[in-house]
C-alpha cells in the first residue's frame, strides 16, 4: 500500500467523521429534509470513496469513521445531555446510515471487459 493511498484513506476517514457529526445535527434540525440530506451525504461519500479508490476499502473507511462518530455522539454526557432524541428520525438516521455504508462498502467492482489493450495511433 502506497503512501498516496494511505493518505487518501486518511482523508476519507476524516470526511466520514465530519459527515457523521454534521449529519447528526442536520437530521434533527430540518426534519425530514435534513434526514434525507444527511443520508445522501454519507451515500455520496461512501460511493465516491469506492470510485475514487477503485477498491471497496474506499467505501468502508468513511463508513467506519461515520459509524464511530455517530456512536460516540449517541452516548449521554455526565450532565444527562445527549445529542440524539428518541424520535423516529434519529433511528432512521442511525440505521439508514449504517445500511448505506455497508451497501457501498460491499458493492461489487465491475471488471473491465476482456480484450487486448489498445493504444491510439497504433
Amino acid at each position: 500500500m502506497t503512501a498516496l493511498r494511505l493518505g487518501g484513506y486518511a482523508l476519507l476517514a476524516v470526511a466520514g467523521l465530519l459527515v457523521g457529526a454534521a449529519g447528526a445535527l442536520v437530521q434533527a434540525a430540518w426534519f425530514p429534509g435534513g434526514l434525507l440530506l444527511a443520508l445522501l451525504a454519507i451515500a455520496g461519500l461512501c460511493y465516491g470513496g469506492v470510485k475514487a479508490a477503485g477498491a471497496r476499502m474506499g467505501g468502508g473507511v468513511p463508513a467506519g469513521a461515520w459509524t464511530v462518530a455517530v456512536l460516540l455522539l449517541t452516548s449521554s454526557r455526565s450532565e444527562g445531555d445527549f445529542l440524539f432524541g428518541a424520535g423516529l428520525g434519529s433511528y432512521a438516521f442511525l440505521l439508514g446510515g449504517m445500511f448505506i455504508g455497508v451497501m457501498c462498502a460491499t458493492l461489487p467492482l465491475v471488471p473491465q471487459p476482456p480484450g487486448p489493450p489498445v493504444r491510439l495511433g497504433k
Side-chain angles (χ1 to χ4, degrees):
M1 189 172 294
T2 65
L4 182 64
R5 186 170 290 266
L6 282 175
Y9 288 150
L11 285 175
L12 285 171
V14 169
L17 290 171
L18 292 175
V19 167
L25 298 172
V26 168
Q27 62 88 19
W30 300 329
F31 188 79
L35 175 63
L36 182 62
L37 181 67
L39 291 176
L40 284 174
I42 186 61
L45 178 64
C46 290
Y47 186 71
V50 168
K51 290 300 179 184
R56 291 183 182 144
M57 190 77 154
V61 169
W66 180 90
T67 303
V68 167
V70 170
L71 290 179
L72 287 176
L73 291 173
T74 60
S75 63
S76 62
R77 296 179 9 190
S78 60
E79 295 89 14
D81 298 335
F82 53 92
L83 190 61
F84 287 94
L88 182 63
S90 297
Y91 292 119
F93 175 65
L94 291 171
L95 296 176
M98 289 181 196
F99 176 74
I100 289 170
V102 168
M103 187 174 62
C104 287
T106 57
L107 280 173
L109 296 176
V110 180
Q112 294 293 322
V118 178
R119 290 180 24 196
L120 295 176
K122 210 172 182 192

